[in-house]
Amino acid sequence: MISFILTGRRAFPLLGAIVLAALLTVACDTWWIPSESTAIPATPTIEAPAQPSPTPEIKESPPEIVTPTPGPPLIEGSPYLRDTTPGAVIYYEPQIEYQTVGRVKDAFAAALNVLKQELDASPPDQVAIFLLGEDQFTRLGSAHGFPDTGYLLGFYSPSPQEGGGAAAGVYLNADGESLFHTLGHELTHAAVPGLPSWFSEGLADYIGTRVEKEMNPRKQMDRLQVYRRLVRDAVNDGALLDQKALESFDPRADHTCPELDRFYGQAWQLMEYVSKVYGPSALRGLVASYRDNTQSGDPFNTVLGIPVETVWQRFSTDIVANITPAERVAQSLDSLQLLATQAEAITYDWAQFIAQSNLGQPGNPRDILRGFGERWNYLAQQTAALAAPGPASSIRDLWQLYFQSMAQAMQDFAQGSDASASRRIAIANQAYSLAAASLRDSLLRRPSLSCD
């Protein structure tokens, strides 16, 4: 519906501002006792030789052997259910659905395959996996020295006291995001210990991503896109962590979530780059080189033939220059969102102009209207020049139609063609409704960072 504000002898349609949850039973025997008046006949006494009393044969029943039925194991006073899968014992809280336990079994088997294929490595023979609700996970994480943060999703212990002598313990927040990625990540720490922290975390995310791909391919692609964008933005903003900053970063310290995302994202994406350019065998070589206590020097130079500084430089160039099709769509949506924000500003100014005109403020309405037209036309030109691959193309076209229609409506108003201007604003309103809804839905479907 178009609202009109009267300005002198002219009526301008007002485009509203955009506004982009035992039983115990006791039996009593009754005895009959004769009264004193009851006659009891005498029994004659017969003399007979005394006979020895026979000794009865008493057969004692063997003691009943009762095998105690073990109750659920208790961990810090809380009961757990227990299940097994080849190579692991799973302890899980009773409220966790068994379907989740079954999926964790599948993810564990996938992780074993990925570790063997990518790194020729395996975790210890017996792993205790603890599948916990958020409250118990937080308590155990604190007991193992991790900060009490809402974004800790899992951790690894080489000697879990709760696991009944298991050689490794993996603790998972069953309520957290990326459960299967986290399982693969923590198992990597168990399979290839003794690495520098930054390298170990990057490698663990590399393996965790491949486990996630087996269990939930869409989730894996979303996560990859998010962290590539994060690292690319860090390169463009000059905020990429250097080698020294990575080596001195302590993941157990109380960092903010963006700091952790940047650390893990950079370390992980470097592993992806090395694997893509030099092959998975290069990662196996780097693992062996770092774990060789007799070696000194730069493992990257030893394995790849170039120093780590050069590897970082090439990596930072590659992640900015080589954009995937999905990333190009995301970039286009980001640009459209920025243009939509600028359109909101113009609409706000338009509403202010209408209000002032209605109050009889002085000024030349025609010049002001032409100025509005130029601003809308600028957005139309920016939109037309915007690369919009795939699904972003139709969204871009709707925004361009909206901007163009508003620009033409302003020119019509300036020329006194109110009827034509009203028709164009009706077209603009329809285009805006479709464009805003499509952009909003696309942005809502886009993955976000773990701390968003």
Side-chain angles (χ1 to χ4, degrees), residues 114 118 178 181-182 184-185 188-189 196-213 216-232 240-241 243 246 249 259-277 283 286 300 311-312 315-316 318-319 327 447-450:
V114 171
E118 296 285 337
S178 304
H181 175 279
T182 305
H185 179 110
T188 305
H189 293 318
S197 177
W198 76 270
F199 189 90
S200 178
E201 298 300 341
L203 190 67
D205 261 1
Y206 173 88
I207 296 297
T209 298
R210 280 142 185 81
V211 176
E212 185 79 79
K213 184 178 180 180
N216 190 342
R218 176 62 185 270
K219 186 80 172 180
Q220 178 264 342
M221 288 299 298
D222 287 349
R223 182 180 177 86
L224 181 63
Q225 183 178 329
V226 163
Y227 280 88
R228 279 180 56 84
R229 187 184 74 202
L230 181 149
V231 177
R232 186 182 306 114
L240 195 70
L241 296 174
Q243 184 70 18
L246 282 173
F249 192 94
E259 290 172 339
L260 288 170
D261 274 334
R262 183 170 61 169
F263 167 77
Y264 279 94
Q266 287 189 206
W268 167 29
Q269 291 308 308
L270 179 64
M271 302 299 124
E272 296 286 353
Y273 171 77
V274 170
S275 178
K276 180 182 72 173
V277 175
L283 288 179
L286 287 170
F300 281 83
V311 176
W312 270 104
F315 155 67
S316 61
D318 177 84
I319 202 166
E327 290 168 343
S448 61
L449 290 172
S450 62

Side-chain angles (χ1 to χ4, degrees), residues 333-417:
L333 294 175
D334 286 339
S335 298
L336 286 171
Q337 185 180 30
L338 179 61
L339 291 170
T341 301
Q342 295 178 35
E344 290 181 9
I346 300 176
T347 302
Y348 175 81
D349 291 345
W350 168 251
Q352 294 294 105
F353 164 69
I354 293 295
Q356 292 172 1
S357 299
N358 196 44
L359 294 174
Q361 296 291 331
N364 189 332
R366 296 185 184 278
D367 290 344
I368 295 175
L369 288 168
R370 292 190 183 98
F372 276 113
E374 292 174 358
R375 294 172 68 183
W376 286 112
N377 190 55
Y378 172 79
L379 293 186
Q381 293 174 352
Q382 293 293 107
T383 307
L386 180 65
S393 177
S394 60
I395 302 176
R396 177 200 58 188
D397 293 346
L398 287 169
W399 281 106
Q400 186 177 2
L401 176 60
Y402 168 56
F403 297 148
Q404 286 177 336
S405 298
M406 288 303 300
Q408 293 166 351
M410 297 299 108
Q411 294 300 320
D412 286 346
F413 275 133
Q415 296 170 6
S417 302

Side-chain angles (χ1 to χ4, degrees), residues 273-317:
Y273 171 77
V274 170
S275 178
K276 180 182 72 173
V277 175
Y278 301 97
S281 60
L283 288 179
R284 291 194 289 270
L286 287 170
V287 169
S289 182
Y290 271 117
R291 296 180 72 185
D292 184 359
N293 296 327
T294 65
Q295 180 184 341
S296 61
D298 178 5
F300 281 83
N301 199 25
T302 301
V303 176
L304 306 182
I306 54 176
V308 66
E309 293 83 2
T310 303
V311 176
W312 270 104
Q313 180 58 48
R314 294 179 180 179
F315 155 67
S316 61
T317 300

Side-chain angles (χ1 to χ4, degrees), residues 102-118:
R103 296 280 283 166
V104 167
K105 287 183 176 183
D106 294 341
F108 180 78
L112 296 182
N113 291 333
V114 171
L115 283 166
K116 190 66 178 177
Q117 179 181 354
E118 296 285 337

Side-chain angles (χ1 to χ4, degrees), residues 79 81 92-98 131-136 174-175:
L81 301 178
Y92 61 101
E93 292 192 275
Q95 77 272 15
I96 295 174
E97 296 182 357
Y98 190 73
L131 199 53
L132 313 165
E134 186 165 353
D135 291 342
Q136 183 71 343
D175 299 327

